[in-house]
mmCIF file of all heavy atoms in Angstrom:
data_model
loop_
_atom_site.group_PDB
_atom_site.id
_atom_site.type_symbol
_atom_site.label_atom_id
_atom_site.label_comp_id
_atom_site.label_asym_id
_atom_site.label_seq_id
_atom_site.Cartn_x
_atom_site.Cartn_y
_atom_site.Cartn_z
ATOM 1 N N ARG B 61 -20.248 1.581 -11.694
ATOM 2 C CA ARG B 61 -21.181 2.686 -11.877
ATOM 3 C C ARG B 61 -20.538 3.936 -12.444
ATOM 4 O O ARG B 61 -21.212 4.936 -12.668
ATOM 5 C CB ARG B 61 -21.850 3.036 -10.538
ATOM 6 C CG ARG B 61 -22.712 1.928 -9.968
ATOM 7 C CD ARG B 61 -23.463 2.420 -8.729
ATOM 8 N NE ARG B 61 -22.559 2.791 -7.643
ATOM 9 C CZ ARG B 61 -22.311 4.034 -7.265
ATOM 10 N NH1 ARG B 61 -22.881 5.062 -7.885
ATOM 11 N NH2 ARG B 61 -21.490 4.263 -6.257
ATOM 12 N N ILE B 62 -19.254 3.941 -12.631
ATOM 13 C CA ILE B 62 -18.601 5.138 -13.158
ATOM 14 C C ILE B 62 -18.031 4.869 -14.549
ATOM 15 O O ILE B 62 -17.598 3.741 -14.848
ATOM 16 C CB ILE B 62 -17.507 5.671 -12.221
ATOM 17 C CG1 ILE B 62 -16.408 4.622 -12.001
ATOM 18 C CG2 ILE B 62 -18.096 6.111 -10.897
ATOM 19 C CD1 ILE B 62 -15.230 5.168 -11.210
ATOM 20 N N ALA B 63 -18.048 5.887 -15.375
ATOM 21 C CA ALA B 63 -17.511 5.785 -16.723
ATOM 22 C C ALA B 63 -16.904 7.130 -17.095
ATOM 23 O O ALA B 63 -17.303 8.180 -16.567
ATOM 24 C CB ALA B 63 -18.601 5.415 -17.713
ATOM 25 N N VAL B 64 -15.937 7.063 -17.959
ATOM 26 C CA VAL B 64 -15.335 8.286 -18.477
ATOM 27 C C VAL B 64 -15.313 8.208 -19.995
ATOM 28 O O VAL B 64 -15.064 7.148 -20.567
ATOM 29 C CB VAL B 64 -13.907 8.494 -17.903
ATOM 30 C CG1 VAL B 64 -13.009 7.329 -18.208
ATOM 31 C CG2 VAL B 64 -13.319 9.800 -18.374
ATOM 32 N N THR B 65 -15.637 9.330 -20.637
ATOM 33 C CA THR B 65 -15.579 9.416 -22.088
ATOM 34 C C THR B 65 -14.597 10.494 -22.484
ATOM 35 O O THR B 65 -14.408 11.483 -21.762
ATOM 36 C CB THR B 65 -16.964 9.745 -22.664
ATOM 37 O OG1 THR B 65 -17.422 10.982 -22.112
ATOM 38 C CG2 THR B 65 -17.965 8.640 -22.353
ATOM 39 N N LEU B 66 -13.964 10.303 -23.613
ATOM 40 C CA LEU B 66 -12.962 11.245 -24.110
ATOM 41 C C LEU B 66 -13.241 11.573 -25.563
ATOM 42 O O LEU B 66 -13.406 10.670 -26.386
ATOM 43 C CB LEU B 66 -11.568 10.640 -23.972
ATOM 44 C CG LEU B 66 -10.405 11.402 -24.624
ATOM 45 C CD1 LEU B 66 -10.200 12.761 -23.953
ATOM 46 C CD2 LEU B 66 -9.123 10.579 -24.558
ATOM 47 N N ASN B 67 -13.272 12.863 -25.872
ATOM 48 C CA ASN B 67 -13.395 13.335 -27.244
ATOM 49 C C ASN B 67 -12.145 14.146 -27.554
ATOM 50 O O ASN B 67 -12.034 15.314 -27.172
ATOM 51 C CB ASN B 67 -14.666 14.186 -27.402
ATOM 52 C CG ASN B 67 -14.886 14.646 -28.828
ATOM 53 O OD1 ASN B 67 -13.949 14.899 -29.582
ATOM 54 N ND2 ASN B 67 -16.133 14.760 -29.223
ATOM 55 N N LYS B 68 -11.198 13.517 -28.226
ATOM 56 C CA LYS B 68 -9.910 14.172 -28.490
ATOM 57 C C LYS B 68 -10.050 15.343 -29.447
ATOM 58 O O LYS B 68 -9.343 16.344 -29.340
ATOM 59 C CB LYS B 68 -8.913 13.158 -29.055
ATOM 60 C CG LYS B 68 -8.346 12.204 -28.038
ATOM 61 C CD LYS B 68 -7.201 11.402 -28.611
ATOM 62 C CE LYS B 68 -7.670 10.487 -29.727
ATOM 63 N NZ LYS B 68 -6.575 9.642 -30.253
ATOM 64 N N THR B 69 -10.958 15.217 -30.393
ATOM 65 C CA THR B 69 -11.138 16.285 -31.375
ATOM 66 C C THR B 69 -11.602 17.565 -30.706
ATOM 67 O O THR B 69 -11.091 18.645 -30.982
ATOM 68 C CB THR B 69 -12.147 15.849 -32.454
ATOM 69 O OG1 THR B 69 -11.696 14.631 -33.052
ATOM 70 C CG2 THR B 69 -12.304 16.917 -33.518
ATOM 71 N N ALA B 70 -12.566 17.415 -29.820
ATOM 72 C CA ALA B 70 -13.115 18.574 -29.121
ATOM 73 C C ALA B 70 -12.319 18.922 -27.865
ATOM 74 O O ALA B 70 -12.577 19.937 -27.228
ATOM 75 C CB ALA B 70 -14.577 18.305 -28.754
ATOM 76 N N LYS B 71 -11.395 18.066 -27.512
ATOM 77 C CA LYS B 71 -10.573 18.233 -26.308
ATOM 78 C C LYS B 71 -11.435 18.351 -25.064
ATOM 79 O O LYS B 71 -11.281 19.308 -24.264
ATOM 80 C CB LYS B 71 -9.620 19.425 -26.463
ATOM 81 C CG LYS B 71 -8.509 19.144 -27.476
ATOM 82 C CD LYS B 71 -7.423 20.210 -27.484
ATOM 83 C CE LYS B 71 -7.879 21.421 -28.240
ATOM 84 N NZ LYS B 71 -6.823 22.406 -28.458
ATOM 85 N N HIS B 72 -12.339 17.415 -24.912
ATOM 86 C CA HIS B 72 -13.065 17.365 -23.652
ATOM 87 C C HIS B 72 -13.312 15.921 -23.223
ATOM 88 O O HIS B 72 -13.316 14.996 -24.035
ATOM 89 C CB HIS B 72 -14.337 18.217 -23.669
ATOM 90 C CG HIS B 72 -15.421 17.755 -24.586
ATOM 91 N ND1 HIS B 72 -16.154 16.591 -24.384
ATOM 92 C CD2 HIS B 72 -15.927 18.324 -25.701
ATOM 93 C CE1 HIS B 72 -17.047 16.478 -25.335
ATOM 94 N NE2 HIS B 72 -16.930 17.499 -26.147
ATOM 95 N N PHE B 73 -13.470 15.765 -21.921
ATOM 96 C CA PHE B 73 -13.726 14.451 -21.335
ATOM 97 C C PHE B 73 -14.695 14.611 -20.172
ATOM 98 O O PHE B 73 -14.804 15.690 -19.587
ATOM 99 C CB PHE B 73 -12.418 13.756 -20.912
ATOM 100 C CG PHE B 73 -11.548 14.526 -19.954
ATOM 101 C CD1 PHE B 73 -11.362 14.088 -18.657
ATOM 102 C CD2 PHE B 73 -10.854 15.664 -20.359
ATOM 103 C CE1 PHE B 73 -10.539 14.764 -17.779
ATOM 104 C CE2 PHE B 73 -10.025 16.354 -19.479
ATOM 105 C CZ PHE B 73 -9.882 15.906 -18.185
ATOM 106 N N SER B 74 -15.428 13.560 -19.913
ATOM 107 C CA SER B 74 -16.514 13.635 -18.939
ATOM 108 C C SER B 74 -16.526 12.424 -18.024
ATOM 109 O O SER B 74 -16.154 11.324 -18.430
ATOM 110 C CB SER B 74 -17.869 13.718 -19.655
ATOM 111 O OG SER B 74 -17.940 14.843 -20.492
ATOM 112 N N LEU B 75 -16.992 12.661 -16.810
ATOM 113 C CA LEU B 75 -17.191 11.595 -15.820
ATOM 114 C C LEU B 75 -18.695 11.370 -15.677
ATOM 115 O O LEU B 75 -19.451 12.332 -15.505
ATOM 116 C CB LEU B 75 -16.585 11.986 -14.476
ATOM 117 C CG LEU B 75 -16.773 10.996 -13.336
ATOM 118 C CD1 LEU B 75 -15.902 9.757 -13.553
ATOM 119 C CD2 LEU B 75 -16.442 11.635 -11.989
ATOM 120 N N HIS B 76 -19.097 10.126 -15.756
ATOM 121 C CA HIS B 76 -20.510 9.770 -15.620
ATOM 122 C C HIS B 76 -20.654 8.825 -14.426
ATOM 123 O O HIS B 76 -19.968 7.796 -14.362
ATOM 124 C CB HIS B 76 -21.002 9.062 -16.880
ATOM 125 C CG HIS B 76 -20.799 9.838 -18.137
ATOM 126 N ND1 HIS B 76 -21.839 10.457 -18.819
ATOM 127 C CD2 HIS B 76 -19.679 10.111 -18.852
ATOM 128 C CE1 HIS B 76 -21.343 11.066 -19.882
ATOM 129 N NE2 HIS B 76 -20.039 10.872 -19.931
ATOM 130 N N ILE B 77 -21.517 9.187 -13.502
ATOM 131 C CA ILE B 77 -21.821 8.309 -12.372
ATOM 132 C C ILE B 77 -23.284 7.938 -12.454
ATOM 133 O O ILE B 77 -24.154 8.829 -12.471
ATOM 134 C CB ILE B 77 -21.524 8.986 -11.019
ATOM 135 C CG1 ILE B 77 -20.090 9.527 -10.977
ATOM 136 C CG2 ILE B 77 -21.746 7.993 -9.875
ATOM 137 C CD1 ILE B 77 -19.775 10.344 -9.731
ATOM 138 N N THR B 78 -23.581 6.660 -12.543
ATOM 139 C CA THR B 78 -24.974 6.218 -12.600
ATOM 140 C C THR B 78 -25.406 5.693 -11.238
ATOM 141 O O THR B 78 -24.577 5.355 -10.385
ATOM 142 C CB THR B 78 -25.143 5.105 -13.650
ATOM 143 O OG1 THR B 78 -24.281 4.008 -13.307
ATOM 144 C CG2 THR B 78 -24.795 5.602 -15.043
ATOM 145 N N GLU B 79 -26.728 5.670 -11.042
ATOM 146 C CA GLU B 79 -27.313 5.147 -9.794
ATOM 147 C C GLU B 79 -26.589 5.712 -8.575
ATOM 148 O O GLU B 79 -26.095 4.972 -7.711
ATOM 149 C CB GLU B 79 -27.253 3.621 -9.797
ATOM 150 C CG GLU B 79 -28.012 2.980 -10.955
ATOM 151 C CD GLU B 79 -27.758 1.490 -11.058
ATOM 152 O OE1 GLU B 79 -27.443 0.847 -10.028
ATOM 153 O OE2 GLU B 79 -27.858 0.950 -12.175
ATOM 154 N N THR B 80 -26.527 7.023 -8.508
ATOM 155 C CA THR B 80 -25.754 7.666 -7.442
ATOM 156 C C THR B 80 -26.252 7.261 -6.053
ATOM 157 O O THR B 80 -27.446 7.004 -5.840
ATOM 158 C CB THR B 80 -25.802 9.188 -7.579
ATOM 159 O OG1 THR B 80 -27.176 9.603 -7.642
ATOM 160 C CG2 THR B 80 -25.065 9.651 -8.808
ATOM 161 N N GLN B 81 -25.295 7.241 -5.142
ATOM 162 C CA GLN B 81 -25.564 6.893 -3.748
ATOM 163 C C GLN B 81 -25.015 7.987 -2.851
ATOM 164 O O GLN B 81 -24.114 8.721 -3.263
ATOM 165 C CB GLN B 81 -24.895 5.545 -3.431
ATOM 166 C CG GLN B 81 -25.387 4.404 -4.312
ATOM 167 C CD GLN B 81 -24.520 3.158 -4.222
ATOM 168 O OE1 GLN B 81 -23.568 3.098 -3.447
ATOM 169 N NE2 GLN B 81 -24.837 2.162 -5.037
ATOM 170 N N PRO B 82 -25.519 8.133 -1.627
ATOM 171 C CA PRO B 82 -25.021 9.190 -0.736
ATOM 172 C C PRO B 82 -23.506 9.156 -0.562
ATOM 173 O O PRO B 82 -22.876 10.210 -0.432
ATOM 174 C CB PRO B 82 -25.747 8.898 0.579
ATOM 175 C CG PRO B 82 -27.030 8.270 0.146
ATOM 176 C CD PRO B 82 -26.676 7.421 -1.057
ATOM 177 N N GLU B 83 -22.916 7.980 -0.591
ATOM 178 C CA GLU B 83 -21.456 7.891 -0.421
ATOM 179 C C GLU B 83 -20.678 8.395 -1.638
ATOM 180 O O GLU B 83 -19.448 8.501 -1.595
ATOM 181 C CB GLU B 83 -21.027 6.462 -0.082
ATOM 182 C CG GLU B 83 -21.563 5.415 -1.024
ATOM 183 C CD GLU B 83 -22.839 4.759 -0.514
ATOM 184 O OE1 GLU B 83 -23.690 5.471 0.069
ATOM 185 O OE2 GLU B 83 -22.995 3.545 -0.718
ATOM 186 N N ASP B 84 -21.386 8.730 -2.714
ATOM 187 C CA ASP B 84 -20.730 9.370 -3.855
ATOM 188 C C ASP B 84 -20.509 10.856 -3.607
ATOM 189 O O ASP B 84 -19.809 11.525 -4.376
ATOM 190 C CB ASP B 84 -21.564 9.193 -5.129
ATOM 191 C CG ASP B 84 -21.662 7.743 -5.584
ATOM 192 O OD1 ASP B 84 -20.697 6.975 -5.349
ATOM 193 O OD2 ASP B 84 -22.700 7.373 -6.172
ATOM 194 N N SER B 85 -21.132 11.400 -2.565
ATOM 195 C CA SER B 85 -20.972 12.812 -2.245
ATOM 196 C C SER B 85 -19.512 13.102 -1.923
ATOM 197 O O SER B 85 -18.920 12.467 -1.039
ATOM 198 C CB SER B 85 -21.853 13.204 -1.060
ATOM 199 O OG SER B 85 -23.217 13.052 -1.384
ATOM 200 N N ALA B 86 -18.923 14.041 -2.662
ATOM 201 C CA ALA B 86 -17.502 14.359 -2.523
ATOM 202 C C ALA B 86 -17.175 15.464 -3.517
ATOM 203 O O ALA B 86 -18.031 15.910 -4.281
ATOM 204 C CB ALA B 86 -16.642 13.128 -2.818
ATOM 205 N N VAL B 87 -15.921 15.892 -3.503
ATOM 206 C CA VAL B 87 -15.427 16.778 -4.546
ATOM 207 C C VAL B 87 -14.666 15.934 -5.562
ATOM 208 O O VAL B 87 -13.844 15.097 -5.183
ATOM 209 C CB VAL B 87 -14.504 17.867 -3.968
ATOM 210 C CG1 VAL B 87 -13.973 18.762 -5.098
ATOM 211 C CG2 VAL B 87 -15.250 18.713 -2.943
ATOM 212 N N TYR B 88 -14.980 16.139 -6.815
ATOM 213 C CA TYR B 88 -14.352 15.391 -7.905
ATOM 214 C C TYR B 88 -13.469 16.331 -8.725
ATOM 215 O O TYR B 88 -13.869 17.438 -9.065
ATOM 216 C CB TYR B 88 -15.405 14.756 -8.806
ATOM 217 C CG TYR B 88 -16.170 13.657 -8.115
ATOM 218 C CD1 TYR B 88 -17.222 13.946 -7.259
ATOM 219 C CD2 TYR B 88 -15.822 12.317 -8.303
ATOM 220 C CE1 TYR B 88 -17.916 12.942 -6.591
ATOM 221 C CE2 TYR B 88 -16.507 11.304 -7.653
ATOM 222 C CZ TYR B 88 -17.547 11.624 -6.794
ATOM 223 O OH TYR B 88 -18.218 10.618 -6.146
ATOM 224 N N PHE B 89 -12.272 15.853 -9.022
ATOM 225 C CA PHE B 89 -11.323 16.635 -9.817
ATOM 226 C C PHE B 89 -10.961 15.863 -11.078
ATOM 227 O O PHE B 89 -10.632 14.679 -11.004
ATOM 228 C CB PHE B 89 -10.030 16.894 -9.049
ATOM 229 C CG PHE B 89 -10.182 17.785 -7.856
ATOM 230 C CD1 PHE B 89 -10.292 17.252 -6.586
ATOM 231 C CD2 PHE B 89 -10.193 19.163 -8.010
ATOM 232 C CE1 PHE B 89 -10.422 18.074 -5.478
ATOM 233 C CE2 PHE B 89 -10.323 20.001 -6.902
ATOM 234 C CZ PHE B 89 -10.439 19.453 -5.638
ATOM 235 N N CYS B 90 -10.969 16.551 -12.208
ATOM 236 C CA CYS B 90 -10.405 15.978 -13.414
ATOM 237 C C CYS B 90 -8.981 16.516 -13.563
ATOM 238 O O CYS B 90 -8.618 17.521 -12.944
ATOM 239 C CB CYS B 90 -11.224 16.339 -14.638
ATOM 240 S SG CYS B 90 -11.302 18.107 -15.021
ATOM 241 N N ALA B 91 -8.181 15.851 -14.360
ATOM 242 C CA ALA B 91 -6.812 16.291 -14.590
ATOM 243 C C ALA B 91 -6.362 15.846 -15.971
ATOM 244 O O ALA B 91 -6.945 14.942 -16.577
ATOM 245 C CB ALA B 91 -5.870 15.731 -13.521
ATOM 246 N N ALA B 92 -5.324 16.495 -16.466
ATOM 247 C CA ALA B 92 -4.727 16.141 -17.745
ATOM 248 C C ALA B 92 -3.221 16.099 -17.599
ATOM 249 O O ALA B 92 -2.636 16.832 -16.792
ATOM 250 C CB ALA B 92 -5.133 17.149 -18.823
ATOM 251 N N SER B 93 -2.614 15.234 -18.388
ATOM 252 C CA SER B 93 -1.177 15.049 -18.301
ATOM 253 C C SER B 93 -0.659 14.644 -19.676
ATOM 254 O O SER B 93 -1.402 14.107 -20.493
ATOM 255 C CB SER B 93 -0.861 13.964 -17.266
ATOM 256 O OG SER B 93 0.518 13.717 -17.179
ATOM 257 N N MET B 94 0.621 14.863 -19.916
ATOM 258 C CA MET B 94 1.223 14.442 -21.184
ATOM 259 C C MET B 94 2.594 13.846 -20.922
ATOM 260 O O MET B 94 3.171 14.029 -19.848
ATOM 261 C CB MET B 94 1.326 15.624 -22.142
ATOM 262 C CG MET B 94 2.207 16.755 -21.667
ATOM 263 S SD MET B 94 2.147 18.185 -22.771
ATOM 264 C CE MET B 94 0.582 18.930 -22.299
ATOM 265 N N ASN B 95 3.114 13.136 -21.904
ATOM 266 C CA ASN B 95 4.421 12.512 -21.756
ATOM 267 C C ASN B 95 5.530 13.551 -21.644
ATOM 268 O O ASN B 95 5.373 14.704 -22.049
ATOM 269 C CB ASN B 95 4.714 11.609 -22.960
ATOM 270 C CG ASN B 95 3.901 10.334 -22.921
ATOM 271 O OD1 ASN B 95 3.359 9.961 -21.889
ATOM 272 N ND2 ASN B 95 3.810 9.677 -24.058
ATOM 273 N N ASN B 96 6.658 13.115 -21.089
ATOM 274 C CA ASN B 96 7.869 13.932 -21.015
ATOM 275 C C ASN B 96 7.678 15.243 -20.256
ATOM 276 O O ASN B 96 8.286 16.261 -20.589
ATOM 277 C CB ASN B 96 8.406 14.214 -22.427
ATOM 278 C CG ASN B 96 8.738 12.920 -23.156
ATOM 279 O OD1 ASN B 96 9.333 12.010 -22.589
ATOM 280 N ND2 ASN B 96 8.307 12.825 -24.398
ATOM 281 N N GLN B 97 6.817 15.187 -19.264
ATOM 282 C CA GLN B 97 6.602 16.380 -18.436
ATOM 283 C C GLN B 97 6.731 16.001 -16.960
ATOM 284 O O GLN B 97 6.090 16.608 -16.104
ATOM 285 C CB GLN B 97 5.216 16.959 -18.708
ATOM 286 C CG GLN B 97 5.039 17.501 -20.108
ATOM 287 C CD GLN B 97 5.005 19.021 -20.125
ATOM 288 O OE1 GLN B 97 4.415 19.654 -19.279
ATOM 289 N NE2 GLN B 97 5.642 19.615 -21.113
ATOM 290 N N GLY B 98 7.514 14.970 -16.698
ATOM 291 C CA GLY B 98 7.748 14.580 -15.307
ATOM 292 C C GLY B 98 6.523 14.044 -14.600
ATOM 293 O O GLY B 98 6.494 13.999 -13.366
ATOM 294 N N GLY B 99 5.514 13.622 -15.370
ATOM 295 C CA GLY B 99 4.322 13.051 -14.765
ATOM 296 C C GLY B 99 3.379 14.066 -14.164
ATOM 297 O O GLY B 99 2.422 13.709 -13.472
ATOM 298 N N LYS B 100 3.598 15.343 -14.399
ATOM 299 C CA LYS B 100 2.773 16.340 -13.724
ATOM 300 C C LYS B 100 1.340 16.295 -14.226
ATOM 301 O O LYS B 100 1.068 16.072 -15.401
ATOM 302 C CB LYS B 100 3.362 17.746 -13.894
ATOM 303 C CG LYS B 100 3.194 18.358 -15.264
ATOM 304 C CD LYS B 100 3.687 19.811 -15.262
ATOM 305 C CE LYS B 100 3.426 20.471 -16.608
ATOM 306 N NZ LYS B 100 3.872 21.887 -16.612
ATOM 307 N N LEU B 101 0.430 16.501 -13.279
ATOM 308 C CA LEU B 101 -0.996 16.556 -13.570
ATOM 309 C C LEU B 101 -1.484 17.983 -13.406
ATOM 310 O O LEU B 101 -1.163 18.640 -12.411
ATOM 311 C CB LEU B 101 -1.766 15.658 -12.605
ATOM 312 C CG LEU B 101 -1.495 14.151 -12.683
ATOM 313 C CD1 LEU B 101 -2.176 13.436 -11.524
ATOM 314 C CD2 LEU B 101 -1.992 13.589 -14.004
ATOM 315 N N ILE B 102 -2.246 18.464 -14.382
ATOM 316 C CA ILE B 102 -2.892 19.765 -14.267
ATOM 317 C C ILE B 102 -4.366 19.501 -13.989
ATOM 318 O O ILE B 102 -5.041 18.828 -14.772
ATOM 319 C CB ILE B 102 -2.711 20.591 -15.543
ATOM 320 C CG1 ILE B 102 -1.212 20.807 -15.830
ATOM 321 C CG2 ILE B 102 -3.434 21.934 -15.420
ATOM 322 C CD1 ILE B 102 -0.449 21.504 -14.718
ATOM 323 N N PHE B 103 -4.848 20.052 -12.883
ATOM 324 C CA PHE B 103 -6.195 19.753 -12.412
ATOM 325 C C PHE B 103 -7.205 20.821 -12.808
ATOM 326 O O PHE B 103 -6.874 22.007 -12.972
ATOM 327 C CB PHE B 103 -6.189 19.628 -10.883
ATOM 328 C CG PHE B 103 -5.604 18.342 -10.388
ATOM 329 C CD1 PHE B 103 -4.234 18.225 -10.183
ATOM 330 C CD2 PHE B 103 -6.408 17.245 -10.136
ATOM 331 C CE1 PHE B 103 -3.680 17.036 -9.739
ATOM 332 C CE2 PHE B 103 -5.863 16.050 -9.685
ATOM 333 C CZ PHE B 103 -4.499 15.955 -9.490
ATOM 334 N N GLY B 104 -8.461 20.388 -12.908
ATOM 335 C CA GLY B 104 -9.569 21.311 -13.018
ATOM 336 C C GLY B 104 -9.913 21.885 -11.654
ATOM 337 O O GLY B 104 -9.291 21.557 -10.640
ATOM 338 N N GLN B 105 -10.944 22.734 -11.631
ATOM 339 C CA GLN B 105 -11.262 23.488 -10.420
ATOM 340 C C GLN B 105 -12.047 22.670 -9.403
ATOM 341 O O GLN B 105 -12.221 23.094 -8.268
ATOM 342 C CB GLN B 105 -12.068 24.742 -10.794
ATOM 343 C CG GLN B 105 -11.300 25.752 -11.619
ATOM 344 C CD GLN B 105 -11.278 25.423 -13.109
ATOM 345 O OE1 GLN B 105 -11.783 24.383 -13.552
ATOM 346 N NE2 GLN B 105 -10.705 26.304 -13.891
#
Side-chain angles (χ1 to χ4, degrees):
Chain B
R61 296 187 297 107
I62 60 173
V64 58
T65 58
L66 172 65
N67 183 327
K68 285 190 295 183
T69 304
K71 290 189 282 189
H72 67 69
F73 56 112
S74 301
L75 177 72
H76 304 254
I77 307 174
T78 59
E79 300 171 27
T80 54
Q81 301 167 4
E83 51 264 39
D84 294 329
S85 296
V87 179
Y88 292 81
F89 293 99
C90 63
S93 178
M94 62 186 78
N95 286 343
N96 300 316
Q97 294 253 319
K100 74 174 184 179
L101 295 171
I102 301 302
F103 284 87
Q105 294 83 356

